[in-house]
Amino acid sequence: MIYQRSSALFAAAQKVIPGGVNSPVRAFKAVGGDPIFVKEAKGAYLYDEDGNRLIDYINSWGPMILGHAHVPVVNAVVEKAKKGTSFGMPTEIETQIAELAVSMVPNIDKIRFVNSGTEACMSAVRLARGYTKKDKIIKFAGCYHGHSDSFLIQAGSGAVTFGSPNSPGVTRGTAKDTLLARYNDLEHVESIINSNKDEISCIIIEPVAGNMGCIPPVKGFLEGLRSLCDMHNILLIFDEVMTGFRLAIGGVQELLNVDADIVTFGKVIGGGLPVGAFAARQEIMNHLAPLGPIYQAGTLSGNPLAMAAGLAMLIELHKNPAIFKSIADKTEYLHKGIAAALEQYNITHTINRLGSMISVHFDKDPVVDFESAAKGNNDMFKKFFHGMLENGIYIAPSAFETWFITEALTYKDLDETIAAVHKVVKTL
Ligand code: HOZ
C-alpha cells in the first residue's frame, strides 16, 4: 500500500503540533513508521488520504460500536447543529440522555456530563475524596484513567507505550496520594489498605482493563474489591469509559454482577463526539455543586451536538440489545481464526478477550496484569502490526491497546482479516 500523502501530512503536522498528533499513541512510535491520516470512514472501514481502504479494529478507541458515520447518529448531530452549537445554558436533551442512561445502568440515580473520559475520572475522584473526606486513592498499575495528574502513576495506554507511565510534571504531593496496586491481586490491595488505615477515599479500576491490552478480572477479584471497600468505607469507582454501553447494556456492573459506587463513562456514550460522564447513587451525586460543596463545571458540558450524538447512540443500543451478543460472537469468531493461524505456524501467543474487546499478546504466559502484559515480544508485535496494515487491516498501533469490535463488521470482513493473519504470521 502507498502512504505518500499520509507521510507528507505527518511531516507538515510535526512542524506545528507536538509529535504531529493530538494524542501520543496515534504517532505510531511504538510500532515505527508514519501514522495514517484518515480522510473519511463508513461502517467498518477507514479510507485514508492515499485512497486505501482499511478494515478498522480501533473504531475511535471504542465509541464506534455500530460503525463509522452511523446514519441515526449523523442525522441527529446535523439536525441539532442547525439550531445552534453551544449555549452554556440547560437544554432538554441533557435530561433525555440522562434519563435513558440512568435507566440502562444499574445502581446509579444521577449522572453528570463532561467532555472526556479524563474529565469524568478526575471529577469522580474529586467527588469520592469530598464525600469520604479522605485524600488517598488506589489505582492499578497499567490501568489508564486519562491524563489527569493523579492517574499518571504507572499508567497504561500511551503513557506506558512512550515510557512515561509516571509523567514529569506530576508533583510529588499528588503522587504520594496515589497508591499503586497490582491488577487481579486482591491480597496486594488488602495490604495497601491495611498500611493506610482510614486514609483511602476510593479505589479506581477499569473493571475489565483495556489499556494494557484487554485484561479481564479473574474470578472473585471485583467481588473482593467490593467487600474491601464496604469494610473500610472506601468508594469503588468503575472506570467504564471503554466498557460502558459496550460489554453489556449496563456495562461491567451488569455483566459481572458487581456494584460500583461511582461509574465513569466516555466513548460509546458520546456516539463519537467528545463526551464523558460520571454517575452514582443520589446520596453521593447530591454532594456536587450546585447542590453540594464539591465543585465541577464546564462551558461545553452537556453540549447539544454531543448530547444529540450520545442520545441517538444510546437509543439504538436500547432498542436493540441483541447487538451486545452479536459483537461478542464476532469477536469470538475472530479470536478463533487468529488463534488457529498463530498455532499453525507455532507462534507463541496469548489472546485475551471479553465481549467485544480483544488483544493479541506475543507471549506464552497468561496476561493478567501490567507485568505480564509488558513482557510480550514487542518486535513481533511491530511486525504483526505492519503486516496487517499492508494487508488493509488497521489494528491498534501498540501492544498495550485493545481492539474494539463493531457491529458494522461482517463475517466476510472477519474472514478477510483472518486470511491476512495467515499471510502475515508466515513472515513473523
Ligand atoms: N490512549 C487512548 C487509547 N487508550 C488513545 C486515544 C487516541 O489517541 O485517540
Side-chain angles (χ1 to χ4, degrees), residues 139-141 143 181-189 205-209 212 214-223 225 256 352 366-370 372:
K139 86 169 276 288
F140 294 87
C143 278
R182 270 189 301 275
Y183 200 83
N184 275 328
D185 186 344
L186 204 53
E187 277 177 24
H188 191 214
V189 178
I205 185 164
E206 293 176 79
V208 173
M212 42 183 166
C214 171
I215 303 191
V218 295
K219 211 169 172 345
F221 178 57
L222 296 179
E223 293 81 349
L225 292 182
L256 301 180
N352 279 2
V367 177
V368 294
D369 57 14
F370 176 65
S372 44

Side-chain angles (χ1 to χ4, degrees), residues 42-53:
K42 180 73 191 156
Y45 310 121
L46 298 167
Y47 299 92
D48 71 17
E49 289 282 357
D50 288 281
N52 303 305
R53 187 209 78 168

Side-chain angles (χ1 to χ4, degrees), residues 131-259:
Y131 180 78
T132 60
K133 303 194 170 45
K134 297 187 276 185
D135 287 348
K136 293 187 178 171
I137 69 171
I138 293 181
K139 86 169 276 288
F140 294 87
C143 278
Y144 179 75
H145 306 289
H147 59 91
S148 137
D149 285 358
S150 328
F151 304 130
L152 291 180
I153 319 287
Q154 283 280 310
S157 186
V160 62
T161 305
F162 299 113
S164 51
N166 313 294
S167 174
V170 175
T171 65
R172 274 189 290 275
T174 299
K176 87 172 171 22
D177 284 332
T178 300
L179 307 170
L180 198 65
R182 270 189 301 275
Y183 200 83
N184 275 328
D185 186 344
L186 204 53
E187 277 177 24
H188 191 214
V189 178
E190 199 168 1
S191 76
I192 293 173
I193 294 175
N194 288 335
S195 329
N196 293 271
K197 276 262 183 261
D198 300 324
E199 290 186 276
I200 299 167
S201 59
C202 61
I203 296 177
I204 183 164
I205 185 164
E206 293 176 79
V208 173
N211 284 292
M212 42 183 166
C214 171
I215 303 191
V218 295
K219 211 169 172 345
F221 178 57
L222 296 179
E223 293 81 349
L225 292 182
R226 178 69 270 165
S227 312
L228 285 173
C229 285
D230 290 340
M231 253 186 289
H232 296 277
N233 183 30
I234 293 170
L235 296 185
L236 182 58
I237 304 178
F238 274 7
D239 173 349
E240 296 230 39
V241 167
M242 282 181 173
T243 54
F245 306 102
R246 169 167 283 279
L247 293 189
I249 209 155
V252 176
Q253 288 194 96
E254 175 191 310
L255 186 74
L256 301 180
N257 195 22
V258 181
D259 288 346

Side-chain angles (χ1 to χ4, degrees), residues 290-337:
L291 279 184
I294 302 169
Y295 199 71
Q296 184 282 321
T299 297
L300 288 165
S301 295
N303 171 269
L305 303 194
M307 296 294 96
L311 181 60
M313 176 65 89
L314 294 196
I315 289 172
E316 292 284 293
L317 298 175
H318 190 246
K319 263 193 332 213
N320 189 4
I323 284 167
F324 297 102
K325 172 152 175 20
S326 170
I327 50 178
D329 288 348
K330 288 177 184 178
T331 313
E332 185 181 358
Y333 184 85
L334 183 69
H335 180 164
K336 285 185 178 153

